[in-house]
Amino acid sequence: MGSERHAPRAHRHLIRGRSVFVSGRAATRRRGPGVSHLGIDLGGTNIKTAVLSGDGGELEVVARDSRPTKAAGGPETVASRLIESGRTSWERHGETETVGLGVPGLFDDSGAITLFPNLPGDWDGFPLRTVVSEGLGKTVQMINDARAFTLAEGNMGAGRGSRIVVAMVLGTGVGGGITVDGRLHLGAFGTAGEIGHQTILPDGPLCGCGNRGCAEALTKASVLTELAGKESAEEVYEAAQSGEQRSIDAITEVANYLGIALANAVTILGPERIVIGGGIAKAGDLLLDPLRRSLKQRVTLVPIDEIEVVPAMLGSYAGAIGAALAGMDQFAVRSR
Ligand SMILES: [Zn+2]
């Protein structure tokens, strides 16, 4: 997030083989011909929106906006903020054909919340999809935020061009996802791809999901900061970059566990590329080098040298871009 604030307002991304303009908040660029798609990304701090334009052959990000979530207000307030975000985007950039909504948790087939660990208030059973769909007058497709990240990076970011992509998002929690030929693999129950919730250490620390020793419980941002004795993950990277041994060791320990988690995923799924995103990933090669070593050490039956481990490309709007993709027929995902 920190570096995103200082990022230039316009970026260039390669999308389906073409360099296209990705506009910033004050976007005035007109939508091109073809249908457009709105993605809304609900985060604990900000609600971000992205508009994609074009048909299946050629997609471009034509607008991005952000506003505070005001999460402390609870479900009703947050739902109103989501509806306002969608309506404001439509006023500025034109009404879209479809709407996708990325959320930081899990939900049932009807779009009611079943697990929202990082937002305050009583979310259990809150019919978020129904409320937002009614508020916008359009059926909203919901997607878990880590899966939205995966869909975006797999199709338009660092995983583009690879048939099978495993993605991992590191931050407050550890999310993940899998794309096969550009589409998410969500499994029979709509929840597959939770790479952060595989057991790495039997009888390890308790995870937010109820299991012990999950990758998330061993590698999330609060674990890293505690290991390094720092206030924030950013401080850990800075200290490591300036050569402080305790921070380097903390990053190496986290990278080692992540390497085990990814080695398991590689052995089972055989991806061509692994995309790493989120806060901790800003450590760059300080994290990726020991992670690659850990992978190499543990993967014996898949040609690990042919698998690329790369940082995410789309920045903090990946979730909104992925939510927009989730609303499109060609990437259609289950309702949960
Ligand atoms: Zn877990």
Side-chain angles (χ1 to χ4, degrees):
M1 289 257 194
S3 65
E4 182 68 20
R5 273 202 298 279
H6 305 294
R9 281 196 159 186
H11 305 269
R12 284 186 166 272
H13 292 308
L14 265 179
I15 297 178
R16 297 193 185 255
R18 294 171 47 149
S19 181
V20 296
F21 182 75
V22 179
S23 56
R25 292 190 60 169
T28 52
R29 190 170 191 266
R30 304 306 303 166
R31 285 191 290 127
V35 185
S36 65
H37 309 273
L38 172 64
I40 307 175
D41 178 29
L42 169 57
T45 308
N46 289 304
I47 293 169
K48 298 196 175 88
T49 57
V51 179
L52 304 187
S53 183
D55 57 29
E58 242 177 72
L59 281 171
E60 55 181 328
V61 183
V62 294
R64 307 187 307 173
D65 294 286
S66 177
R67 67 176 57 208
T69 306
K70 297 188 177 170
E76 300 286 350
T77 300
V78 170
S80 299
R81 302 284 293 167
L82 290 169
I83 294 163
E84 275 172 43
S85 298
R87 293 206 166 278
T88 303
S89 178
W90 283 349
E91 280 160 22
R92 290 180 184 169
H93 314 296
E95 186 165 334
T96 56
E97 187 82 3
T98 64
V99 181
L101 170 62
V103 299
L106 301 177
F107 44 91
D108 66 17
D109 279 339
S110 74
I113 303 305
T114 56
L115 180 69
F116 246 31
N118 299 318
L119 288 190
D122 183 12
W123 281 91
D124 193 29
F126 185 80
L128 187 62
R129 185 165 69 150
T130 304
V131 173
V132 177
S133 295
E134 282 173 2
L136 289 174
K138 203 175 280 278
T139 302
V140 169
Q141 177 70 52
M142 256 163 74
I143 181 170
N144 167 272
D145 58 0
R147 251 72 80 201
F149 165 88
T150 304
L151 194 53
E153 289 290 344
N155 283 285
M156 296 168 73
R160 190 181 157 274
S162 296
R163 275 203 59 224
I164 301 177
V165 176
V166 165
M168 202 174 209
V169 204
L170 313 172
T172 313
V174 176
I178 304 149
T179 55
V180 180
D181 293 330
R183 295 175 72 117
L184 283 170
H185 174 74
L186 292 173
F189 308 101
T191 54
E194 290 283 5
I195 290 164
H197 294 283
Q198 55 179 303
T199 306
I200 300 299
L201 198 62
D203 305 318
L206 189 64
C207 183
C209 74
N211 183 34
R212 283 193 175 276
C214 284
E216 175 172 300
L218 295 161
T219 64
K220 60 187 179 182
S222 61
V223 170
L224 177 75
T225 52
E226 197 170 314
L227 283 171
K230 296 281 185 294
E231 291 294 310
S232 70
E234 279 75 15
E235 279 180 44
V236 183
Y237 319 142
E238 280 167 21
Q241 262 147 12
S242 63
E244 192 208 80
Q245 198 56 43
R246 185 172 172 188
S247 290
I248 293 171
D249 290 346
I251 293 173
T252 305
E253 179 170 337
V254 161
N256 187 45
Y257 285 130
L258 290 172
I260 297 173
L262 287 170
N264 295 342
V266 165
T267 300
I268 294 166
L269 299 165
E272 293 151 270
R273 211 170 287 180
I274 295 168
V275 180
I276 309 285
I280 298 179
K282 293 204 179 91
D285 285 340
L286 274 172
L287 174 91
L288 293 183
D289 284 345
L291 194 156
R292 290 181 183 116
R293 279 198 298 276
S294 174
L295 256 179
K296 199 163 184 167
Q297 178 192 341
R298 296 171 196 285
V299 173
T300 54
L301 304 176
V302 177
I304 191 66
D305 289 336
E306 292 178 30
I307 301 174
E308 294 173 281
V309 182
V310 295
M313 274 178 51
L314 297 176
S316 67
Y317 279 81
I321 294 168
L325 292 174
M328 298 173 61
D329 283 344
Q330 74 182 105
F331 299 106
V333 292
R334 288 169 56 109
S335 59
R336 62 181 184 184

